[in-house]
Amino acid sequence: MIPIAYPLVLAVILFCMGIVGFLLRKNAIVIFMCLELMFNAANLVFITFANHYQVIDGQVFVVFVMTVAAAEVAVGLALMVTIFRTKQSIDIDQMNSLKG
Amino acid sequence: MTTGLFVFLTLAIIAITAAAGLILSRNTVYSALFLIINFLAVAVLYLIMGAPFIALAQITIYAGAIMVLFLFVIMLLGAEKPKEIEQMKWQRPLAFVLGGAILVEGVYALLTRVSITVTTNPASEILADPKTLGISLYTKYSLPFEIASVILLVAAIGAVVLTRMPKKDKGQ
Amino acid sequence: METVQFFNLVPWVVFLPLIGLTVNLLVGRKLGEIFAGSFASLATGLAFVVSILLAVSLSSHPEAVTIPLGDWITIGTLTVRWAFRVDTLSVVMMLVVSGVGTLIHIYSIGYMHNDVRHNGDTGRYARFFIFLNLFIAAMMILVSADNFLMMFVGWEGVGLCSYLLIGFWFEKGKNGTGNAEAAKKAFITNRIGDFGLLIAMFLIFVNFGTFQFDEVFKQAGQVAAVKPGVMLLITLFMLLGVTGKSAQLPLYVWLPDAMAGPTPVSALIHAATMVTAGVYLVARSSIFYALVPTAQTVVMWVGAATALFAATIALGQYDIKKVLAYSTISQLGFMVAAVGMGATVAGMFHLVTHAFFKGLLFLAAGSVIQGVERGMHHANHASHDFDPQDMRQMGGLRKQTPLTFRVYLIGALALSGIAPLAGFFSKDEILVSAWQTQPAIFIVLVLAAFLTAFYMGRQLTMVFFGEPRTEAAEKASESPLVVTLPLMILALLSVLGGVLNLPGVHTLETWLSHTLGEGEPGHFVWVVAGISLVLALIGLGLAWMIYSRKTDKAYVDPLKRALGSLFTGMENKWWVDELYAAIILNPYRAFAQFMADPVDLGVIDRIGGGLAAGTRALAESIRKLQNGYIRSYALLMLLGLAAIMTYLFLR
Amino acid sequence: MNIGLNPLLLVTFFPLVGALVVLLLKPKWKTALRWTALVTSLITFGLSIWMLTRFNDIDPEIQFELNLPWITLGNNQIGFHLGIDGISILMVLLTTFLMPLAILSTWKAVEERIKGFMAFFLLLEVGMLGVFLSLDMVLFYVFWEFTLIPMYFLIGLWGGERRVYAAVKFFLYTMAGSVLMLAGILWIGLQYGSFDLTQLSGSGLIPAAAQLWLFGAFGLAFAIKVPMFPLHSWLPDAHTEAPTAGSVILAGILLKMGAYGFLRFNLPLFPNATVTLAPWMAGLAVIGILYGAAVAYLQKDVKRLVAYSSISHLGFVVLGIFALNLQGLQGAILQMVNHGLSTGALFLIVGMLYERRHTRLLENFGGLWKVVPVLGTLALITTLSSVGLPGLNGFVSEFTILLGAFSSTVIGSPWFAGVATLGVILAAVYLLFMFQKLFLGPVTHEENKKLKDVSAREILILTPILIFAFWIGIYPKPFFMLMAPAVEKLTALVQSAALLAH
Amino acid sequence: MTLIDLYSILPAATLIVWALFLLLANFWFSKRQPVWTPILAGAGLLASLVVSIFFTGKPMAGFGGFILVDGFSNFLTPLFAVTGIFAIGLAYDYLRRMGIQRGEYYTLLLFSISGMMLMASAGDLIIVFLALELLSIPLYVLSGFAHPRVDSQESALKYFLLGTFASGFFLFGTSLVFGAARTTNLTDILAIVSSGEADTMLLLIGSALMLAGFGFKIAAVPFHSWTPDVYQGAPSPVAAFMSVGAKAAGFAALIRVFSMIFPSLAAELTPIFWALAALTMVVGNVVAIAQTNLKRMLAYSSIAHAGYLLMAFVPFGDAVTRSNSVASALFYLTVYALASLGAWAVLIGMEGEDNQGTEISDLAGLGKTSPLSAAAMTVFMLSFTGIPLTLGFWGKFYLFRTAIEGGFVTLAVIGLITSLASAFYYLRVVVKMYFQEGQPEFHWNFWTSSVAIFTALALVVFSFMPGSLFDLALRSMLTGS
């Protein structure tokens, strides 16, 4: 069996990679994927602690997270499609007309 | 090094490499594929930690359905590759510094606070059984379940609203 | 009390002029000139009658009487009453003020009739009498006060009247604002003096707990013993007030300019009465001064220096009134020197006689000026910038204005100290005191007396002797009776004034001793009398010799050749005005400007604006963070998170 | 207690009734609007006189007290607590007295949006009266801040060229002061469980250390309002740009709120701090006196000149207050009244000139006494009253203030008063300068030759003020008597509390 | 599911059911009488309001502690319902004028509000998370509702990406808290945390992450940067709704969650909240000064007010101040909601096609052309500033009182000084409306104007008697505190 700290550390690494990816990339879809990575990292923590405490709640939480993630993907991708229609691009750096 | 640890490390390396690939890949489709790999690796970890149902859900819903949706949209939009030229000179270094800071702090906290000697439990019958999960979803978690369903509905409506083409007579 | 006492009438010395001014204020313009003038004169005349009644009452009951009218200010320990003090000193002042005042009122009836026509605004006739009555009232408040604060009210009140009357023709004078400027100068200079008086009063209140004359003077010895420094301060600050009001060095500068007022004003306010208030104040406070020898020294030196200094300037003046003005300053210097030496009675004596002859001189000068003005009107080619007050444009007027000449001569002789006219006796008393106690002062004063005789001789010669130097002078004419009658009365008083305190008789001395305490009566010292008389005669004669032969039209003063640059200094009043402008006026103006613009608008006003601008700049720079890039925003969020976590770790 | 007949309630809120009536009238009924406002303010004045007749002037305590529970917040009761004593009654009378005159002065000057003007004006009166009558700190603060709004609009809508700048500046400066006061109020309320002034005044509850910063918090608000040097820079702009009636009220009453605040709050609540800081406050006051006088001189705009003169005059008030003796305090209160009268009248006169010539620059005038003799005379008297000539109101108060300050043990040095006395000279310098530039000398401008002299209405406006100017100058005793018991109580309170702490 | 369970979610459930019904009804009405959709939506909210007032009065816990009905939620639920009603009032005319009149708008709005209601009574982190998403997802969509319009799209994208980013933080934080406390139930967390069994470090990091998530929702600096852009780009009624509803909900959750964690970690968390509050007040108010667009100004103003609200929560760690802390936050929130909705109402009246008329300078002359709107706007600005005789004063009064009561005098002073700075830009609006000439085009609409006038009246009238509102807020006690 592995020390529970390990998956947690992995989760933190993935989380941080998600964050850094969000900050580095300009492609909206890739950014969105980075967000999924962050969610995934959280899920890993839930599962790890569910295992550690031997309670089901952690797993249930993950189920809901996945559901929500799916919902967000639906909305997010729809948004990107409509944006692509207008701007012919999903480069988020081009979406900076509102500022100040 | 126990087998479990070896497996874990292998999976961890796969997951991290895949994540790195996701971030670094110039091609959006590759990014999506890297993410799927990452999801799969994590799914195996779930399995190890006694959450087979979640692992399966991860594979089917996440790696399967959601990522297919992603790929679908990527294809729809023509797998565009925006030029990744950084206009903001502070963005990258700061992103690494801050991301690194959080990483270091998080790892440090976990390693000092969560004892290394505490290990994961072997898959227990109760937790591993999808039935338990199902029952708790429908009893204790009935309200969140309902809310989640509403969220999905809302997302569906939202997607429709967002993608529906504007009416032709809008200008009048 | 066996005889009838009139003390209760004392408020009327104030109220009568007030009634007079109220009537004129309300209906003066409708009444017509004669009635307005007469009514004002009547008001003052009645005040004079009241003063006489008071004097009569005092003669049988010489102790001071206080007639309270009401409370004025009552705060805690501060109690100030509206009250009138009738004592021999105040009644002397009342008599002078209302007596000379009445005569000048009468004179003004005629004088102002011409003046308002000459200046082209007959509407101001009544206004003149309003101001004049107001002045009498204020002066009466000053002299009849029973405490310092009340006196201060009158003190400032007469200052106001002076301001109003100097600026009576406020649209005339140099550049059209000359008169207004002169008025302002008078008021502000006086205020500087008042500042001193105020501080003196504060010190008095702090140390004596009251403003009441009786109580203050009762405690004076005691306080002087305990706090000699305080007493010195009180007396010196008071002196500042005196120098302002009585036109002493260094604050005399307003008085010559004050000649911008109509001539009766110069006579009444700026020669006979108001300017003597300072002398009165020192006389009133003689107990203080007696206790502080240092202050006494300062006072008498101020007086003596002023006497000599002003006399030198008088030598170089061409304006008939300016000569008299500097002469007034000089004579006031005599009085101040006298009271400074402790010769209070001598000072008061000179004050009274001076009121007679200087009033007379001014009024006569007014008569001369109007005579010349009339001549100017009759002249064929009267130039526009003709100045009817310029002695260089006169000459030989003794023929055109014989009556005026005669009274002027009397006045001038009295002023010069020719026996047995009033001036001789009063000035002699001062000189005697100086002779006996302060030789240095004596020399200065004698010198001043000599110069007095000289410039009066100069003036007489320039105005009345020789041949007319202009057409206007040639065609000048005598004034009407209403103008000359007061002149004659004053001339009579100038002749007989000496009787008041004849050597050996000491009427005034005895009279005042009830208020000022018993002093050593002044002796008649033949040597002094001789010196002063001789010097006066020499002065007059010298002046006549130098000036009588001067007849050319382009007048250059003969002394100029003799004295050279010294005379230029006299002519230019030793540039004192310019000096003050350079060291006080202009610096203050520059300071005010500096405060207004660089400091107030530039610094203080910008504090608020600067804060606003700073905030705005901060806003703009923070706003730059809001660059519209999603990733930047995310970075900012991460920054926040990292900061929080780092804090948690480092804590 | 019969609330309905409480004079304070009637006086304070009667103008509100008028304001409501004004709001109901149509904007085009100009005459009706004017008369409604005038009559309202006159009735308010009448009510305040009626209150005065019932006022017991030998009682140092609060009278006609009205204490209704208003708001409960935790352990804090915020009461609708009104009351009047010898200090505030003069302020109330000054307010109700000046209001009708100010309204009357707008007869010709305000032609546009009369409805709004009158409504704001009457609301302003409610606010000001509330400030003077409140005995609850929160209620006070509410009224205090509320007065900003109508004044802000009065300046901003009916003001001169730079009205917007002036209005905003006025608002922000005043608010800058009062925010810290709010902190102070809240702190006191929390610490001592009460916002009630009558409970806190002189209670000695507040420790000396806390008093210092509380004094600062309250003092800043009041010092800006007064305004004390160097916090005055809102005043010249606000005064200059405000419409005539606004300037009158601003100078006449609003500034008094600051000085009143010192009297009502800083002295009784923080006596130790007051005593400690008195020399500093006096020092600032003296600087203000001289500074205001220096800056006023050479101003080109009459209103600015008068505005700076206010700084100087109010410096006397502050000096008197912090002399902390009877003479100083009573003089200060009387000086508040006098400044209201004199400066109010000066602004009215400037307004009259402005109505005739539409300029306020000194260089455009000159020699007017000849053209408009009656106005000239009235202006002269007003100027002299401002100069502080004995026999007129200004002298009495300035003299007593200086006397008080001179002998004040709290200030500790006669130098303050001595230097302040120089202000007497400087006042003559700038005011006579002003009078000369306006009224003396020759008439240099063609337009000035045919100016009309004062109308009956204008005489009606100025006469009451001048009557009071003479009255106070000649017989100030009734005014001193009115305030004496309250001031004596206040002085005793401050001194005993300060002694207790030593 | 027991009856109590049902009662506990009745207002939210009513809304969800009504929204589903409306979704169907809309197919019917959208073509024929589109006006009925908003009216029905309003009716639904009204029903929910009635329900929230009458049926859930007593404190209770539903669904095994998932839902907490207490004074806190009883205060907020009606507030959300009312906000919704106003939001609908603002929307109808606007959508019609902009040509984006679609019935889904109202459905989504109702869903979002139901999410807010659930948020206010959430008793478990999972409910918090789900409610957060339920309220957010409709808002993402609504931001992009005018979607061919580029700024609307940009707004939606920014809101969506950053919102999800924040959700990620929140979720990770939740997982760590779960790891520390073994449960996600708030009441249990409280018990475990106070017993000291939980790992403090994990808990703290988890809290920090959750705070970042909430910080985003309430627009606290430095998690605020989306606000101005999104408010500007989104359709104005949506922005209005977000500025009130989303913020309130965010606060509700923040208070709920931190009321459990905070007391035992007060020493660690108080300085963080202190700094956040101060920073938010300063940045919000300062940057607002530089704004020329009214929408952006209101956005920054909303950021600034988030700072004030945070200030109320800073002294929560002090047991004595706790009840005031929550009450003053709620009170302030209500006041802010009224003024904000009103201000947006006036702005919506001003707005023309393509964001025309939303510059502050466009307001010039409104005082003359539309005196009532201008007067109402003045009230809102004064209330934002905190000038007496508007409810805004009492809001600040209570707020600063709480801060001072908790001993945070410096923070209160910062708040006071920044509110002085705020006067600067709020006054500018008044200046434009009254003191400058112009001919602004004001689109008068009964519903929009009613919102403005009603809120303005409420702000003024209640300022005379804030006592009852204080009481109401004070009674809004949280379960467990």
Side-chain angles (χ1 to χ4, degrees), chain D residues 19-82:
Chain D
L20 292 177
V21 174
V22 164
L23 285 179
L24 292 176
L25 296 174
K26 280 192 182 160
K28 60 181 177 186
W29 298 345
K30 296 186 173 181
T31 318
L33 286 165
R34 286 176 177 138
W35 278 100
T36 312
L38 181 64
V39 168
T40 307
S41 61
L42 280 173
I43 294 177
T44 314
F45 181 56
L47 286 169
S48 64
I49 294 293
W50 171 66
M51 174 186 75
L52 178 67
T53 57
R54 294 179 48 190
F55 185 81
N56 180 0
D57 65 357
I58 51 166
D59 184 1
E61 299 302 325
I62 303 285
Q63 302 186 30
F64 309 125
E65 200 169 350
L66 174 75
N67 196 355
L68 304 174
W70 182 28
I71 298 165
T72 312
L73 179 53
N75 58 343
N76 282 148
Q77 293 284 338
I78 300 168
F80 191 84
H81 193 173
L82 298 180

Side-chain angles (χ1 to χ4, degrees), chain A residues 2-85:
Chain A
I2 48 174
I4 64 155
Y6 288 14
L8 292 180
V9 167
L10 177 64
V12 171
I13 292 170
L14 290 179
F15 185 72
C16 289
M17 290 180 83
I19 291 175
V20 172
F22 190 104
L23 296 176
L24 294 185
R25 297 301 300 264
K26 300 162 87 170
N27 187 318
I29 293 183
V30 176
I31 287 177
F32 200 8
M33 289 195 274
C34 292
L35 288 171
E36 294 299 333
L37 199 59
M38 288 165 69
F39 277 50
N40 202 39
N43 285 351
L44 185 54
V45 177
F46 273 119
I47 296 294
T48 314
F49 280 117
N51 173 282
H52 174 60
Y53 291 125
Q54 291 290 305
V55 288
I56 195 78
D57 306 68
Q59 292 192 19
V60 177
F61 214 111
V62 173
V63 172
F64 289 120
V65 172
M66 284 179 177
T67 323
V68 165
E72 293 217 340
V73 166
V75 172
L77 290 178
L79 191 59
M80 280 162 207
V81 169
T82 156
I83 287 171
F84 189 80
R85 271 191 208 145

Side-chain angles (χ1 to χ4, degrees), chain D residues 30-39 100-111 114 118 355 457 461:
Chain D
K30 296 186 173 181
T31 318
L33 286 165
R34 286 176 177 138
W35 278 100
T36 312
L38 181 64
V39 168
L101 303 178
I103 288 173
L104 204 56
S105 79
T106 66
W107 233 243
K108 291 264 163 56
V110 176
E111 276 295 333
I114 298 172
M118 295 303 172
E355 276 175 51
R457 175 181 62 87
I461 295 170

Side-chain angles (χ1 to χ4, degrees), chain A residues 15 19 32 35 45-46 49 53 58 61 64-65 68 72 75-76 79 82-83 86 95-100, chain E residues 126 130 133 137 147-148 153-154 156-158 160 164-165 169 171-172 174-175 178-179 229 232 291 296 300:
Chain A
F15 185 72
I19 291 175
F32 200 8
L35 288 171
V45 177
F46 273 119
F49 280 117
Y53 291 125
F61 214 111
F64 289 120
V65 172
V68 165
E72 293 217 340
V75 172
L79 191 59
T82 156
I83 287 171
T86 343
M95 303 299 270
N96 70 336
S97 62
L98 303 170
K99 58 187 158 194
Chain E
I126 195 159
L130 289 173
E133 294 297 330
I137 290 175
H147 61 76
Q153 286 177 341
E154 182 178 336
L157 185 71
K158 280 182 174 168
F160 173 73
T164 315
F165 192 54
F169 284 159
L171 194 61
F172 202 76
T174 314
S175 67
F178 171 69
D229 295 5
Q232 192 184 4
Q291 299 305 319
R296 291 190 81 81
Y300 279 107

Side-chain angles (χ1 to χ4, degrees), chain E residues 268-283:
Chain E
E268 289 84 359
L269 289 177
T270 304
I272 294 174
F273 274 87
W274 195 100
L276 271 185
L279 200 61
T280 310
M281 289 188 290
V282 171
V283 171

